[in-house]
C-alpha cells in the first residue's frame, strides 16, 4: 500500500485571500473556507488508508477555522521561491501522571474454615474440641457484565508547550509543509510528539513517582514547564506522490504577541479542552527532507510506489498569524489495552 496523499484537485480549491496582518478573525471568515479545504483533503487521505496524515489535516482545519484567516509566506523549495499561505499554533497541554488499579474487580472473602486445635502431642482430636479460624485465600471477582472499569487516577505535573506551522500551496493545496517543534530553536530529532495527530501524555504506574519524559537529545531542546521535548519534526507532502520527512536542519520560533479573540473561545483536541486566544508567531527554518523509508501501515521497507529523492526547504523569518491554546479541562486517557491470551504452543510432534 502506498503512503501517497490523495489530495483534492481542480476547482474545489480556490485561490484564497490573504491575511490583512491582524491577529483577529477576518470579517468574511476566510477560516471557514480554509477549514473546509483541509477537511476535504483529510477525507481523501483517510480514504487512501493513511489515517495519521488525515488526523493532522483535520487538526490543521481547526487551526485555520479558529484563526479565521491565513498569512502569506514565501517558501524556497529546491532553490525556487514559492508563494504559500500559512497558519500557526501554540498548544499548552498538561503532562498527566496516571495510575490504574491492578485489576478491575473487587476482593471478596470466601466461607471461613474452622480448624480444630491440636492436643499436647500435636494430634487433632476427632471431635474437634473447639477451634481456631483460618481465613481462606481471597478471590478476585470481576465486575458485573456491562459495568465499566474504574477510571485511572490522574493529576497534572506541569505543562508542555509545542508550536506548529502549517503552510500550503493555495491554488490546489497540492503541497503542504508542516513543522512541529518545541518552543525556541532546535534541530531535527526523532521522538518529537506530533500534537497534530494526538496529544501525548506521561503515564506512571505510581502516581507519586516521577513522570517519564523523552530524553533531551537535540541541541537547543527544552521549553515548556517541565523540560520539553527534543528537536522538531518536519514534513513535506505532495499530492498523489507522498511524504518526505526532515532528516537534518534547524528551525526557530517565537510568540510575538497574543491578544484578541479567536472565532470561538474553546477548542477540544483528543483528551483536553483548551481556551483560545489569537496570536502572532515568528517562524524560520531550513531542512532537508527524504522519503519515508518504510510503509507505516504494512511495514514494507522502501515501498516501490513511494516518493523518491530528497528536497531542501527553507523559510526566512516570517510573521504568521494563528492561535494559542491553553488547557482548561482534561479527561483521563483511556485504560491501557488488556493483554491478550497466551499463545497456544505449537505441537512439533508429528502423529
Amino acid at each position: 500500500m502506498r503512503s501517497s496523499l490523495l489530495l483534492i484537485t481542480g476547482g474545489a480549491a480556490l485561490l484564497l485571500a490573504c491575511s490583512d496582518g491582524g491577529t483577529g478573525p477576518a470579517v468574511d471568515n476566510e477560516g471557514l473556507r480554509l477549514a473546509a479545504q483541509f477537511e476535504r483533503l483529510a477525507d481523501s487521505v483517510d480514504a487512501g488508508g493513511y489515517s495519521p496524515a488525515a488526523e493532522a489535516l483535520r487538526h490543521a482545519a481547526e487551526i485555520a477555522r479558529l484563526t479565521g484567516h491565513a498569512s502569506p509566506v514565501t517558501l524556497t523549495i529546491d532553490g525556487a521561491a514559492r508563494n504559500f499561505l500559512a497558519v500557526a499554533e501554540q498548544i499548552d497541554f498538561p503532562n498527566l501522571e496516571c495510575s490504574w488499579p491492578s485489576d478491575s474487580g473487587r476482593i471478596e472473602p470466601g466461607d471461613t474454615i474452622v480448624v480444630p486445635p491440636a492436643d499436647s502431642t500435636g494430634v487433632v482430636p476427632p471431635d474437634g474440641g473447639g477451634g481456631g479460624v483460618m481465613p481462606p485465600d481471597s478471590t478476585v471477582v470481576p465486575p458485573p457484565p456491562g459495568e465499566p472499569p474504574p477510571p485511572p487516577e490522574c493529576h497534572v505535573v506541569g505543562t508542555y508547550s509545542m508550536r506548529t506551522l502549517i503552510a500550503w500551496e493555495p491554488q490546489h493545496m497540492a503541497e503542504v509543509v508542516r513543522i512541529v517543534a518545541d518552543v525556541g530553536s532546535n534541530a531535527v530529532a526523532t521522538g518529537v510528539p506530533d500534537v497534530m495527530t494526538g496529544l501525548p501524555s506521561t503515564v506512571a504506574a505510581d502516581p507519586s513517582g516521577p513522570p517519564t519524559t523523552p530524553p533531551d537529545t537535540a541541541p537547543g531542546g527544552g521549553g515548556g514547564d517541565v523540560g520539553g521535548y527534543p528537536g522538531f519534526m518536519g514534513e513535506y507532502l505532495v499530492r498523489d506522490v507522498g511524504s518526505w520527512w526532515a532528516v537534518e536542519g534547524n528551525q526557530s520560533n517565537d510568540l510575538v504577541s497574543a491578544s484578541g479573540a479567536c472565532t470561538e473561545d474553546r477548542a477540544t483536541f483528543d483528551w483536553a479542552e483548551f481556551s483560545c486566544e489569537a496570536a502572532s508567531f515568528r517562524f524560520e527554518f531550513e531542512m532537508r527532507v527524504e522519503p519515508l523509508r518504510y510503509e507505516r501501515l504494512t511495514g514494507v521497507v522502501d515501498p516501490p510506489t513511494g516518493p523518491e529523492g530528497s528536497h531542501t526547504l527553507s523559510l526566512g523569518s516570517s510573521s504568521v498569524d494563528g492561535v494559542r491554546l491553553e488547557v482548561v479541562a482534561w479527561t483521563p486517557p483511556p485504560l491501557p489495552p488488556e493483554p491478550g491470551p497466551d499463545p497456544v504452543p505449537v505441537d512439533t510432534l508429528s502423529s
Side-chain angles (χ1 to χ4, degrees), residues 29-332:
N29 207 350
E30 177 190 351
L32 287 178
R33 298 194 300 272
L34 297 172
Q37 287 191 0
F38 276 118
E39 289 288 356
R40 291 193 296 267
L41 183 55
D43 290 344
S44 186
V45 170
D46 213 4
Y50 192 44
S51 295
E55 288 303 311
L57 292 166
R58 290 191 176 99
H59 189 113
E62 185 70 1
I63 297 173
R65 187 179 65 81
L66 291 169
T67 302
H69 60 271
S71 300
V73 295
T74 301
L75 268 65
T76 300
I77 302 177
D78 296 330
R82 305 277 304 282
N83 293 324
F84 273 54
L85 294 177
V87 290
E89 169 198 57
Q90 176 172 317
I91 185 166
D92 303 328
F93 57 91
N95 178 52
L96 292 187
E97 193 172 86
C98 301
S99 64
W100 284 266
S102 58
D103 58 68
S104 58
R106 64 183 187 276
I107 304 299
E108 187 172 280
D111 295 334
T112 56
I113 301 174
V114 177
V115 180
D119 60 19
S120 59
T121 64
V123 177
V124 177
D127 61 357
V133 177
M134 182 183 74
D137 292 336
S138 59
T139 58
V140 176
V141 179
E147 181 178 313
E153 295 181 358
C154 299
H155 60 280
V156 176
V157 183
T159 301
Y160 284 114
S161 296
M162 303 290 290
R163 290 183 182 145
T164 294
L165 169 74
I166 181 161
W168 63 96
E169 177 272 319
Q171 288 155 324
H172 304 292
M173 204 174 271
E175 298 165 81
V176 179
V177 176
R178 290 200 302 136
I179 299 289
V180 180
D182 196 3
V183 171
S185 300
N186 30 64
V188 173
T190 59
V192 178
D194 189 349
V195 291
M196 294 184 72
T197 61
L199 297 180
S201 61
T202 298
V203 177
D206 180 357
S208 64
T212 54
T213 56
D216 190 356
T217 56
D225 296 338
V226 211
Y229 289 99
F232 82 93
M233 182 202 77
E235 184 179 16
Y236 176 43
L237 315 177
V238 177
R239 167 173 48 89
D240 295 333
V241 179
S243 303
W244 287 257
W245 299 84
V247 294
E248 62 181 357
N250 288 276
Q251 73 78 39
S252 65
N253 59 76
D254 289 307
L255 175 64
V256 178
S257 64
S259 62
C262 303
T263 58
E264 293 188 9
D265 61 1
R266 288 288 188 272
T268 300
F269 294 111
D270 203 15
W271 43 263
E273 182 183 358
F274 300 86
S275 63
C276 185
E277 184 178 28
S280 178
F281 301 88
R282 184 193 61 80
F283 272 89
E284 61 180 310
F285 69 83
E286 57 179 354
M287 63 182 179
R288 182 172 65 86
V289 296
E290 292 185 349
L292 196 64
R293 292 305 179 189
Y294 65 95
E295 167 58 57
R296 290 187 174 186
L297 298 180
T298 64
V300 175
V301 177
D302 288 329
T305 57
E308 298 179 354
S310 65
H311 299 279
T312 58
L313 296 89
S314 65
L315 173 71
S317 180
S318 301
S319 177
V320 180
D321 289 345
V323 296
R324 181 179 183 181
L325 302 172
E326 295 185 87
V327 65
V328 293
W330 51 269
T331 55

